[in-house]
Short mmCIF file of all heavy atoms in Angstrom, two decimals:
data_model
loop_
_atom_site.label_atom_id
_atom_site.label_comp_id
_atom_site.label_asym_id
_atom_site.label_seq_id
_atom_site.Cartn_x
_atom_site.Cartn_y
_atom_site.Cartn_z
N ARG V 224 103.44 81.52 104.01
CA ARG V 224 103.29 82.79 104.72
C ARG V 224 104.64 83.51 104.87
O ARG V 224 104.73 84.73 104.69
CB ARG V 224 102.67 82.53 106.10
CG ARG V 224 102.40 83.80 106.89
CD ARG V 224 101.57 83.53 108.13
NE ARG V 224 102.20 82.58 109.02
CZ ARG V 224 101.75 81.35 109.25
NH1 ARG V 224 100.65 80.93 108.65
NH2 ARG V 224 102.37 80.55 110.09
N ASP V 225 105.70 82.74 105.16
CA ASP V 225 107.04 83.34 105.27
C ASP V 225 107.51 83.89 103.93
O ASP V 225 108.19 84.93 103.87
CB ASP V 225 108.03 82.32 105.80
CG ASP V 225 107.73 81.90 107.23
OD1 ASP V 225 107.00 82.63 107.92
OD2 ASP V 225 108.22 80.83 107.66
N LEU V 226 107.18 83.18 102.84
CA LEU V 226 107.57 83.65 101.51
C LEU V 226 106.89 84.97 101.18
O LEU V 226 107.54 85.89 100.65
CB LEU V 226 107.22 82.58 100.47
CG LEU V 226 107.46 82.95 99.00
CD1 LEU V 226 108.93 83.28 98.76
CD2 LEU V 226 107.01 81.82 98.08
N LYS V 227 105.61 85.08 101.48
CA LYS V 227 104.90 86.34 101.22
C LYS V 227 105.48 87.48 102.05
O LYS V 227 105.66 88.60 101.56
CB LYS V 227 103.41 86.17 101.51
CG LYS V 227 102.68 85.27 100.53
CD LYS V 227 101.21 85.17 100.88
CE LYS V 227 100.47 84.29 99.87
NZ LYS V 227 99.03 84.16 100.19
N ALA V 228 105.79 87.19 103.31
CA ALA V 228 106.35 88.22 104.18
C ALA V 228 107.72 88.67 103.69
O ALA V 228 108.04 89.87 103.68
CB ALA V 228 106.44 87.71 105.62
N ALA V 229 108.56 87.72 103.27
CA ALA V 229 109.89 88.07 102.78
C ALA V 229 109.81 88.85 101.47
O ALA V 229 110.59 89.79 101.24
CB ALA V 229 110.73 86.81 102.58
N THR V 230 108.87 88.50 100.60
CA THR V 230 108.71 89.23 99.34
C THR V 230 108.26 90.67 99.59
O THR V 230 108.78 91.60 98.97
CB THR V 230 107.68 88.51 98.46
OG1 THR V 230 108.11 87.15 98.23
CG2 THR V 230 107.54 89.20 97.12
N LEU V 231 107.33 90.84 100.51
CA LEU V 231 106.88 92.20 100.83
C LEU V 231 108.00 93.01 101.49
O LEU V 231 108.13 94.21 101.24
CB LEU V 231 105.67 92.13 101.76
CG LEU V 231 104.36 91.62 101.13
CD1 LEU V 231 103.28 91.50 102.19
CD2 LEU V 231 103.91 92.53 100.01
N ARG V 232 108.80 92.35 102.30
CA ARG V 232 109.91 93.03 102.95
C ARG V 232 110.93 93.51 101.93
O ARG V 232 111.46 94.62 102.02
CB ARG V 232 110.55 92.09 103.98
CG ARG V 232 111.40 92.76 105.01
CD ARG V 232 111.64 91.86 106.20
NE ARG V 232 112.16 90.56 105.79
CZ ARG V 232 111.54 89.40 106.03
NH1 ARG V 232 110.38 89.39 106.67
NH2 ARG V 232 112.07 88.25 105.65
N ARG V 233 111.19 92.67 100.92
CA ARG V 233 112.13 93.05 99.87
C ARG V 233 111.59 94.21 99.04
O ARG V 233 112.31 95.16 98.71
CB ARG V 233 112.42 91.85 98.97
CG ARG V 233 113.50 92.08 97.92
CD ARG V 233 113.44 90.99 96.89
NE ARG V 233 112.17 91.00 96.18
CZ ARG V 233 111.71 89.98 95.47
NH1 ARG V 233 112.40 88.86 95.41
NH2 ARG V 233 110.57 90.06 94.84
N LYS V 234 110.29 94.16 98.69
CA LYS V 234 109.69 95.25 97.93
C LYS V 234 109.73 96.56 98.71
O LYS V 234 110.02 97.63 98.15
CB LYS V 234 108.24 94.89 97.58
CG LYS V 234 108.09 93.80 96.54
CD LYS V 234 106.62 93.56 96.26
CE LYS V 234 106.43 92.50 95.19
NZ LYS V 234 104.99 92.25 94.91
N ALA V 235 109.41 96.49 100.00
CA ALA V 235 109.42 97.69 100.82
C ALA V 235 110.82 98.30 100.92
O ALA V 235 110.98 99.52 100.90
CB ALA V 235 108.88 97.38 102.22
N PHE V 236 111.83 97.44 101.00
CA PHE V 236 113.21 97.94 101.07
C PHE V 236 113.57 98.69 99.79
O PHE V 236 114.16 99.78 99.83
CB PHE V 236 114.17 96.76 101.30
CG PHE V 236 115.61 97.16 101.34
CD1 PHE V 236 116.19 97.61 102.52
CD2 PHE V 236 116.41 97.08 100.21
CE1 PHE V 236 117.52 97.98 102.57
CE2 PHE V 236 117.74 97.45 100.23
CZ PHE V 236 118.30 97.90 101.43
N LEU V 237 113.21 98.12 98.64
CA LEU V 237 113.54 98.78 97.38
C LEU V 237 112.78 100.09 97.21
O LEU V 237 113.34 101.09 96.75
CB LEU V 237 113.25 97.83 96.22
CG LEU V 237 114.12 96.58 96.12
CD1 LEU V 237 113.65 95.68 94.99
CD2 LEU V 237 115.58 96.96 95.92
N LEU V 238 111.50 100.09 97.57
CA LEU V 238 110.72 101.33 97.43
C LEU V 238 111.20 102.40 98.40
O LEU V 238 111.15 103.60 98.09
CB LEU V 238 109.24 101.03 97.69
CG LEU V 238 108.52 100.20 96.61
CD1 LEU V 238 107.09 99.92 97.03
CD2 LEU V 238 108.55 100.92 95.27
#
Side-chain angles (χ1 to χ4, degrees):
R224 183 169 59 248
D225 294 342
L226 175 60
K227 291 181 179 179
T230 303
L231 290 175
R232 199 163 52 241
R233 186 195 63 198
K234 289 181 179 180
F236 178 85
L237 293 176
L238 290 177

